[in-house]
């Protein structure tokens, strides 16, 4: 039986990945923050799988703790998904973003190199590493040009992963994931903010959603499909390679609004407030759209579920959550 270690297992991606690995017969070990274990909201994504997972509360920002964790688990595959995943532009958060999105990656790789160098490692990279890209769509050869500390920290991790692959012989690779959504998405992200707002409007709890740039373009896919891509990357007959994981299809925030409000039969234009500057991002001129040709060619992966259906599932889930209160 293969043994997998997943960091950030209670997040959107970690929880779907845990379910996928369990369905494939893996022994699944997961790491969560100590503060999460007593917070039922933070554990809710694991409600269907928690009984079959071995959970550890480990401070990943402590090198010795990471070393001891890897020594205890001795994984065959490690999926490093733990991250500050909100692309925050506030200066106060920069130190913690660098610690979470860069330093921990190094702790994990260095521990694996010492303790179980046969372990394959997946690192969750991001389209934010391309930032203000010089082309649309972006692929694995596109020049990196991150525009946020988040993107810089992810890019630094990518270089450490590459270094451990090329100079230490580890099977380690990075997935450049573009936005991926589901009912498990946290409320900070625009899709969930919209779908939960629509559900609240539909039952009369509020009458406005405050948003930033409605013309922002993103490449939004379906999270359960993206974790399949991660697994395929660690089971790649061509060896360890980095891939863009994306749909290649551009959509605007307005499209998300149109899909979401259509579910409850309303016109979004009557319910949106864009006066608050705090929701606008600097430097979003270049749309982040991925070219998934390489992962399709090598691993046969491509997205299936369209954004319209993802949003429908999210709105219905948010309506059900409100009805169950
Ligand atoms: O949902 P978002 O906050 O996601 P963002 O920043 O693209 O980041 C997500 O995808 C990245 C790429 O895969 C990941 F690296 C990252 O970890 C995360 O998963 O924003 C999406 C778009 C942006 O263009 C933003 O300007 O929505 C626009 N937007 C407009 N109004 C808003 C809002 N975003 C948020 N969060 N809140 C708003 O009110």
């Amino acid at each position: 039986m293969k043994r997998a270690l997943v960091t950030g297992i209670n997040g959107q991606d970690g929880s779907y990945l845990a379910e996928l690995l369990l369905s494939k017969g893996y022994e699944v070990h997961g790491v969560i923050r100590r503060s999460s274990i007593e917070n039922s909201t933070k554990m809710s994504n694991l409600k269907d799988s928690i009984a079959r997972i071995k959970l550890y509360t480990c401070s990943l920002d402590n090198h010795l703790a990471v070393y001891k964790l890897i020594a205890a688990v001795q994984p065959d595959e490690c999926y490093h998904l733990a991250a500050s995943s909100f692309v925050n532009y506030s200066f106060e958060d920069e130190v913690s973003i660098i610690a979470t999105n860069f330093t921990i990656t190094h702790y994990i790789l260095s521990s694996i190199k010492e303790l179980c160098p046969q372990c394959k490692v997946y690192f969750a990279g991001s389209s934010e590493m391309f930032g203000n890209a010089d082309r649309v769509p972006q692929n694995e050869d596109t020049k990196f040009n991150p525009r946020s500390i988040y993107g810089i920290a992810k890019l630094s991790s990518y270089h450490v992963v590459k270094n451990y692959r090329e100079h230490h012989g580890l099977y380690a690779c990075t997935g450049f994931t573009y936005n991926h959504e589901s009912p498990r998405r946290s409320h900070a992200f625009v899709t969930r903010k919209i779908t939960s707002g629509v559900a609240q409007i539909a039952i009369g709890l509020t009458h406005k959603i405050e948003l930033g740039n409605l013309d922002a373009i993103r490449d939004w896919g379906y999270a359960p499909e993206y974790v399949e891509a991660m697994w395929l990357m660690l089971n790649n007959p061509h060896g360890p390679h980095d891939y863009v994981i994306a749909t290649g299809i551009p959509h605007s925030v307005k499209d998300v609004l149109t899909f979401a409000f259509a579910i409850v039969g309303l016109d979004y234009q009557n319910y949106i407030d864009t006066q608050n500057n705090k929701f606008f991002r600097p430097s979003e001129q270049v749309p982040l759209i991925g070219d998934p040709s390489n992962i399709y060619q090598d691993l046969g992966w491509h997205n299936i579920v369209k954004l319209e259906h993802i949003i429908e599932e999210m709105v219905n889930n948010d309506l059900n959550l409100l009805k169950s209160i």
Side-chain angles (χ1 to χ4, degrees):
M1 185 188 271
K2 275 197 196 171
R3 197 176 305 140
L5 176 64
V6 181
T7 69
I9 196 165
N10 57 330
Q12 170 186 261
D13 295 0
S15 60
Y16 283 121
L17 180 64
E19 288 164 20
L20 178 76
L21 294 168
L22 287 167
S23 75
K24 291 183 180 296
Y26 278 68
E27 185 181 302
V28 178
H29 298 244
V31 192
I32 54 170
R33 289 202 180 109
R34 197 170 298 282
S35 57
S36 301
I37 196 96
E38 281 159 12
N39 182 333
S40 58
T41 316
K42 291 200 167 153
M43 297 303 286
S44 61
N45 290 338
L46 295 179
K47 66 180 184 330
D48 296 332
S49 54
I50 194 162
R52 293 173 290 154
I53 296 169
K54 176 106 176 69
L55 278 184
Y56 304 80
T57 53
C58 169
S59 299
L60 292 173
D61 53 5
N62 175 332
H63 199 170
L64 183 60
V66 172
Y67 188 90
K68 285 181 175 170
L69 173 76
I70 305 280
V73 178
Q74 294 282 330
D76 300 298
E77 293 175 10
C78 175
Y79 297 85
H80 177 36
L81 311 183
S84 297
S85 58
F86 191 54
V87 185
N88 200 317
Y89 290 89
S90 90
F91 177 74
E92 297 91 79
D93 287 338
E94 290 185 354
V95 170
S96 78
I97 287 175
I98 289 168
T100 316
N101 293 350
F102 170 58
T103 313
I104 294 173
T105 313
H106 174 247
Y107 291 169
I108 290 175
L109 287 162
S110 56
S111 302
I112 285 176
K113 172 178 156 273
E114 291 301 317
L115 294 164
C116 46
Q118 79 296 339
C119 174
K120 297 176 178 178
V121 183
Y122 172 86
F123 168 65
S126 165
S127 59
E128 285 293 320
M129 292 154 57
F130 297 120
N132 277 323
D134 61 4
R135 67 177 91 155
V136 182
Q138 300 84 38
N139 66 18
E140 294 79 1
D141 297 324
T142 302
K143 208 170 114 199
F144 297 115
N145 191 13
R147 60 192 170 190
S148 61
I149 286 291
Y150 172 93
I152 292 167
K154 287 277 181 185
L155 181 55
S156 308
S157 274
Y158 156 84
H159 282 296
V160 182
V161 169
K162 185 168 179 282
N163 177 270
Y164 271 72
R165 178 172 72 230
E166 293 177 353
H167 299 290
H168 299 299
L170 248 58
Y171 185 120
C173 50
T174 298
F176 309 116
T177 45
Y178 283 63
N179 301 50
H180 44 289
E181 316 298 309
S182 77
R184 297 184 192 174
R185 196 55 148 147
S186 91
H187 289 78
F189 297 96
V190 77
T191 53
R192 188 70 194 278
K193 191 171 165 185
I194 291 172
T195 62
S196 65
V198 165
Q200 289 175 48
I201 288 168
I203 64 164
L205 283 179
T206 186
H207 57 281
K208 285 281 175 210
I209 308 177
E210 271 196 320
L211 290 170
N213 182 7
L214 305 189
D215 294 315
I217 304 278
R218 282 287 190 273
D219 176 332
W220 278 288
Y222 190 44
E225 293 178 348
Y226 283 43
V227 302
E228 282 182 35
M230 296 172 193
W231 178 79
L232 284 168
M233 284 177 62
L234 290 200
N235 291 276
N236 187 345
H238 309 286
H241 287 284
D242 304 323
Y243 292 102
V244 160
I245 306 173
T247 71
I249 303 165
H251 278 293
S252 65
V253 174
K254 277 184 186 156
D255 292 336
V256 176
L257 286 166
T258 306
F259 295 148
F261 276 88
I263 312 292
V264 295
L266 296 173
D267 179 350
Y268 78 82
Q269 303 198 57
N270 300 321
Y271 300 96
I272 300 306
D273 179 356
T274 54
Q275 304 304 309
N276 194 336
N277 279 340
K278 85 172 181 196
F279 297 119
F280 282 81
R281 306 269 179 89
S283 21
E284 281 204 316
Q285 293 87 351
V286 182
L288 287 173
I289 307 299
D291 172 1
S293 307
N294 285 336
I295 193 164
Y296 179 60
Q297 211 177 327
D298 288 1
L299 298 171
W301 182 90
H302 63 98
N303 83 293
I304 295 168
V305 183
K306 300 279 175 268
L307 180 60
E308 191 171 350
H309 296 120
I310 303 169
I311 297 301
E312 183 180 355
E313 188 186 340
M314 291 173 72
V315 171
N316 287 331
N317 171 68
D318 282 320
L319 284 168
N320 288 336
L321 285 176
L322 286 178
K323 283 177 196 154
S324 67
I325 293 172

